[in-house]
Amino acid sequence: MAKKKVTLKDIAKAANVSGTTISRYLNGKFDYMSADTRQTIERVIKELEYRPSNIARSLKSQKSMLLGAVIADIENPFSNTIIKGLSDRANELNYSLMVAVSDGSKEREQKHIQRFLDNRVDGLVINTVGENEDYLVSLKDEHVPIVLLDKSMSDKSYDCITSNNYDLSKELTQHLVEEGFASIGYFTPTIKSNTVQQSRSQALEDVLKDHSEIEMKQYVMAKGQTDLLIEAIESFFKLPEPRVLIAANGLILLNVLKEIEKMGKRIAVDYGICGFDDILAASIISPGITTVAQNSYGLGKESASLLVQKINEDKEEYSIIYKELPGELKIRKSTRVEEWNRKDEINE
């Protein structure tokens, strides 16, 4: 015998609340709803094995209950945790998440965004590759809520969730100055149209303005150009000692370590190294690599939360939200010069 289909009325009756309250719960509108009421509704839905019809809900509410996320580079360990945060929060808010990867291409980013719009997503989270500002501005005519993740617009004309990049870079640079490094090599992706890297680079320059005795050289990295990376590393090892290398993201850090190992150079002997994104390897590779840990999972969750908030927000009350989540500097032996094994000690 076929099982009777559970309706909203059945859930409302079992939870002892109104049908309107059930509808608000299913649409992620929890304002003025107590935690006890939410827990009761959640329990009843599970007990009755209720499965809402997304098609029916879409026709009635004009919402697809779909969120789109365009991620710049899935090879960066930072991105994987972001996607986890996005997915978990979307699920909590009863939305389905679709993810596309632009792989550093602004043309591919545009294509993915258009496909999501064609599939009637309710909103978009965009981890932009940069150099796409004119296109992003044109999306305002689509009247679809958009939240930028990590990189913002130069004029902050879109909602954005990011890290406190300037403060973190400043704290890292001050640490390197205090440790007595004579030179710094900064390995970074292109800074043009990349607000994150602009903030980090600016902080580095601001701190070093008062330390002319420290030589600083910037190396701009391009994805997949190993020859350029090797050339930059060779140049770095010509800088005065003690020298330290800063990797602007986790992917650059891994690529740099791979090539330097082939050269037979040793961390905390021949050079110091640190980087942004507290990837797992940083705490495993001897003697431990100093990193700036971003709350990448939190960035994902906050972006999804903000997007759903904007989807349900009264358009007349709309205001731009720019939020920075605090990160943490994790100091390890790779930049603690006083703890290094000196070359002359090793050769004795």
Side-chain angles (χ1 to χ4, degrees), residues 119-148:
N119 281 281
R120 297 185 61 250
V121 295
D122 291 333
L124 285 165
V125 172
I126 302 175
N127 169 225
T128 181
V129 301
E131 301 186 27
N132 237 347
E133 289 206 358
D134 290 342
Y135 175 74
L136 293 176
V137 169
S138 72
L139 293 178
K140 290 183 179 293
D141 294 334
E142 299 286 346
H143 303 293
V144 173
I146 291 174
V147 171
L148 300 183

Side-chain angles (χ1 to χ4, degrees), residues 254-266:
L254 289 173
N255 289 335
V256 162
L257 289 170
K258 178 182 176 181
E259 296 303 326
I260 291 181
E261 185 179 14
K262 296 176 183 177
M263 298 177 181
K265 303 291 187 179
R266 295 161 295 178

Side-chain angles (χ1 to χ4, degrees), residues 175-240:
H175 161 67
L176 300 178
V177 170
E178 291 168 2
E179 286 295 320
F181 284 102
S183 60
I184 296 174
Y186 186 52
F187 285 59
T188 177
T190 179
I191 293 177
K192 181 182 178 182
S193 299
N194 186 325
T195 55
V196 168
Q197 299 304 336
Q198 287 170 1
S199 293
R200 293 175 182 174
S201 180
Q202 187 62 55
L204 178 65
E205 291 178 10
D206 288 348
V207 172
L208 294 182
K209 281 179 182 177
D210 298 325
H211 297 278
S212 58
E213 75 279 6
I214 299 176
E215 183 175 344
M216 198 278 282
K217 192 165 185 178
Q218 180 173 286
Y219 303 94
V220 178
M221 299 291 98
K223 187 176 179 180
Q225 295 190 7
T226 305
D227 291 344
L228 180 63
L229 174 61
I230 293 173
E231 182 179 321
I233 292 172
E234 290 174 345
S235 171
F236 165 72
F237 277 107
K238 294 177 182 177
L239 295 177

